[in-house]
Amino acid sequence: MQDIVSIEWIILAALCTATAAVAVWWLSPTSGAKSMEHDLLLGDGRTDAVFLFDENTLIGWSSGAKKFIGDRTDDFNWSSLRDQLARSYPGLPQSPNFLKDVGPLVLSGTANADSREAHCEWIDGITRVQLRRSTIEEQNKSLDQELTTLRAAVHQAPYPVWLQSDEGDVTWTNIAYDDLSNKIRGRDVDFEVPLFTDLEEPKASGRPERISIPLPEMEKKLWYNVSTTETEAGWLCHAVDVNAVVDAEVAQRNFVQTLAKTFAQLSIGLAIFDRNRQLVLFNPVLIDLTALPASFLSSRPNMLTFFDRLRDQRMMPEPKNYSSWRHQMADLLEAAAEGRYQETWSMPSGSVYAVSGRPHPDGAIAFLFEDITAEITLTRQFRSELEVGQSIMDHMDEAIAVFSKDGTMSFSNEVYHKMWNMDPDSSFAKVSIVDACRVWQDKSVATSTWGSIRDFTLGTENRDPWWCNVQTRSGDHLICQVCALQNGATMVRFKSADTPALPLEQQRFTAIAGQS
């Protein structure tokens, strides 16, 4: 009996020990973590993908997540998961700590996502990401909603959309197509007759083609870009209104034609290069001035090709070498873009062109070519005549000074410079009659002659010629003659009184003075 009691006590003690061991194991942290991990890995469906992270480290995953992880279990982390899911689930946090601060996130998958949603949450230090797949019922509901949305989008589209069979019959239209058809053809028309009759071009090219619809009783057309897509039900067609674009193109074309007609009447050659430095506009005068063929200019050459051809035609100054020519063209382009290119080209043929470059809107550059050969020739002739006249006057015995209407000295000869020890050309400032009178007064005996000459030069009345005698401080006696010239100018002449013979004009002045 005592043996039976001992055995019972032994069995009871063993049971208590086992129960205590199980309790200790259950309450241990490792066991709790494994149980929690097991619970967190359970998804809403067998195919759900579930990921568990401790900070950035992957610590657990479900069978549905293996296709994302593959054989990278050792180095797969939060960044690896985000690289795979960021496109399909926009908004996935950069760091799992974000979920600790803001709480759980439910991200909707894009059309390319395998699962409908991504559930992200932070639970007691563990980040859990679950990719939930949709049930058949949810998928059907989603498809119905998507189909309804697509139908509404196509039906309410602001441009005409219709379905046309291979035989050319219209089988379906949207509201915009119906409104356009009613506007143009009225309501009493066969529905199957297409509004856009010729679709061969967009069908063949596979890209939008511009097609017009004539308006009844009006000399006008409506223009649309029509594109077609072949489907099992027929040809799905879209028409986009481009009337504003067509009107703008017509207005631009008319404007360009007007400019071309205007430029054609100019005597200045015009060449406009666009922002890509290609020739986009020129006038007929440019052909005459540059001797470049119209076919070459119409081929839209770039700027370097254009000037290279001018150089080959000997229609611009010849460079010393080709290397310097390229540098010269680069400088020319930069100066023209800034509006500071203005040069005179002297051709080997003797022609002279004034060439200027100016910037235009949108990065374009315009070059102007003007033949100034006649002007330069006339200027050279005029300058040559002036030089001859100056040379003749310098060889005369008389000192001569000419003053313009406003009293500015415009001419004097070498004898005048030596007589009065002054050279107006050496001064930057203009010499006036007042300045000249001061010089004369400083170098002569006191006389009222200088004031009379000043009044005569600046006056408009009593412009009859006269003369008088003056004496310099050195004792020389001079005859001073004053007479009016054209355009209000005045000439003052000084001649030594010891000269034996006087000009006929001075003799006449002497006779008049003797009578007075």
Side-chain angles (χ1 to χ4, degrees):
M1 185 68 177
Q2 291 179 351
D3 293 337
I4 295 174
V5 173
S6 298
I7 293 173
E8 291 178 351
W9 277 105
I10 291 172
I11 294 172
L12 180 60
L15 290 174
C16 291
T17 303
T19 302
V22 170
V24 171
W25 175 83
W26 179 259
L27 295 175
S28 64
T30 304
S31 172
K34 290 184 177 179
S35 177
M36 179 179 179
E37 178 180 326
H38 179 268
D39 293 339
L40 292 177
L41 287 175
L42 294 178
D44 296 336
R46 296 180 61 186
T47 59
D48 285 357
V50 181
F51 306 84
L52 299 182
F53 292 88
D54 182 4
E55 295 292 339
N56 291 317
T57 304
L58 180 69
I59 61 174
W61 60 90
S62 67
S63 58
K66 290 182 179 180
K67 71 172 186 177
F68 296 93
I69 301 174
D71 298 332
R72 302 172 52 197
T73 56
D74 294 336
D75 61 348
F76 194 88
N77 53 26
W78 179 267
S79 298
S80 304
L81 179 67
R82 193 178 185 282
D83 290 341
Q84 294 191 29
L85 302 182
R87 290 182 177 272
S88 300
Y89 303 95
L92 193 66
Q94 292 278 358
S95 170
N97 292 329
F98 179 80
L99 301 170
K100 178 181 178 181
D101 299 330
V102 303
L105 291 178
V106 179
L107 307 176
S108 299
T110 62
N112 298 325
D114 294 336
S115 302
R116 179 169 58 87
E117 295 174 341
H119 290 253
C120 308
E121 54 185 339
W122 189 86
I123 305 174
D124 294 335
I126 295 178
T127 302
R128 181 176 185 270
V129 178
Q130 177 186 358
L131 306 182
R132 290 187 56 194
R133 289 184 176 272
S134 304
T135 63
I136 299 299
E137 180 180 355
E138 289 175 333
Q139 291 177 359
N140 292 336
K141 183 178 179 181
S142 177
L143 290 175
D144 290 340
Q145 292 176 348
E146 184 177 357
L147 182 59
T148 301
T149 302
L150 290 176
R151 285 174 175 172
V154 175
H155 202 60
Q156 299 292 337
Y159 49 85
V161 182
W162 71 99
L163 192 63
Q164 192 166 319
S165 65
D166 292 332
E167 292 75 19
D169 297 332
V170 176
T171 58
W172 176 87
T173 60
N174 71 342
I175 295 178
Y177 182 96
D178 295 339
D179 293 340
L180 181 61
S181 178
N182 294 335
K183 175 183 177 182
I184 296 178
R185 304 187 300 184
R187 298 183 179 276
D188 299 332
V189 67
D190 188 357
F191 172 82
E192 296 182 353
V193 177
L195 182 62
F196 297 85
T197 56
D198 187 10
L199 298 182
E200 295 304 322
E201 290 189 9
K203 287 180 180 179
S205 65
R207 61 176 182 269
E209 299 289 347
R210 188 169 294 181
I211 296 177
S212 64
I213 305 175
L215 289 176
E217 301 179 358
M218 294 182 63
E219 295 182 359
K220 186 179 180 181
K221 297 180 180 179
L222 297 180
W223 291 90
Y224 291 85
N225 274 356
V226 179
S227 58
T228 59
T229 304
E230 189 174 9
T231 66
E232 295 181 358
W235 291 91
L236 182 63
C237 308
H238 300 75
V240 179
D241 187 346
V242 292
N243 286 285
V245 176
V246 173
D247 292 341
E249 291 175 351
V250 172
Q252 182 184 22
R253 185 163 53 251
N254 293 337
F255 179 68
V256 172
Q257 290 177 353
T258 302
L259 285 180
K261 292 178 181 179
T262 303
F263 294 153
Q265 305 301 321
L266 295 177
S267 60
I268 300 176
L270 176 67
I272 297 180
F273 297 85
D274 62 12
R275 63 188 308 172
N276 298 321
R277 301 301 177 255
Q278 285 187 309
L279 182 64
V280 293
L281 185 63
F282 64 93
N283 63 344
V285 180
L286 184 69
I287 301 176
D288 300 334
L289 294 178
T290 61
L292 296 177
S295 57
F296 169 74
L297 297 176
S298 300
S299 65
R300 301 187 64 185
N302 60 39
M303 186 177 297
L304 289 179
T305 304
F306 175 81
F307 283 103
D308 273 341
R309 193 68 173 268
L310 283 181
R311 182 179 62 86
D312 294 338
Q313 295 284 98
R314 299 176 62 86
M315 295 305 298
M316 64 182 304
E318 185 70 22
K320 295 182 179 179
N321 55 67
Y322 194 74
S323 176
S324 66
W325 162 255
R326 285 298 177 183
H327 289 298
Q328 179 182 348
M329 285 298 97
D331 296 340
L332 181 149
L333 176 60
E334 181 181 356
E338 297 176 359
R340 54 182 177 83
Y341 181 79
Q342 192 164 358
E343 296 289 343
T344 300
W345 291 359
S346 296
M347 312 295 178
S349 62
S351 299
V352 182
Y353 288 176
V355 183
S356 60
R358 299 175 182 177
H360 271 237
D362 199 25
I365 295 178
F367 282 92
L368 304 176
F369 298 82
E370 183 179 4
D371 187 353
I372 58 173
T373 305
E375 178 183 346
I376 293 297
T377 302
L378 182 61
T379 302
R380 290 172 179 172
Q381 291 177 352
F382 181 69
R383 184 181 297 114
S384 176
E385 292 176 358
L386 287 179
E387 291 174 353
V388 171
Q390 179 72 47
S391 178
I392 294 174
M393 299 297 289
D394 287 341
H395 283 80
M396 294 181 65
D397 295 334
E398 296 180 349
I400 299 175
V402 178
F403 298 88
S404 61
K405 184 178 181 179
D406 62 354
T408 302
M409 181 181 292
S410 58
F411 178 83
S412 60
N413 65 351
E414 193 67 27
V415 178
Y416 177 86
H417 302 163
K418 293 179 179 179
M419 178 179 292
W420 298 106
N421 193 23
M422 65 175 297
D423 185 4
D425 296 334
S426 64
S427 175
F428 289 104
K430 294 181 179 181
V431 177
S432 66
I433 183 63
V434 176
D435 299 328
C437 288
R438 290 198 185 102
V439 173
W440 300 336
Q441 184 174 1
D442 290 342
K443 296 182 180 297
S444 62
V445 178
T447 176
S448 61
T449 300
W450 314 129
S452 300
I453 295 178
R454 182 193 62 224
D455 296 339
F456 183 93
T457 302
L458 299 176
T460 57
E461 298 180 357
N462 192 17
R463 300 273 293 169
D464 295 333
W466 58 275
W467 66 275
C468 66
N469 291 312
V470 294
Q471 183 179 358
T472 64
R473 294 186 183 275
S474 61
D476 295 332
H477 293 273
L478 300 176
I479 298 175
C480 176
Q481 300 177 3
V482 183
C483 63
L485 301 179
Q486 293 181 350
N487 299 324
T490 301
M491 180 173 66
V492 180
R493 299 159 61 185
F494 298 93
K495 189 175 182 63
S496 174
D498 299 333
T499 303
L502 294 176
L504 294 177
E505 182 184 15
Q506 186 170 343
Q507 294 177 10
R508 184 170 62 87
F509 293 159
T510 305
I512 294 175
Q515 294 176 0
S516 60

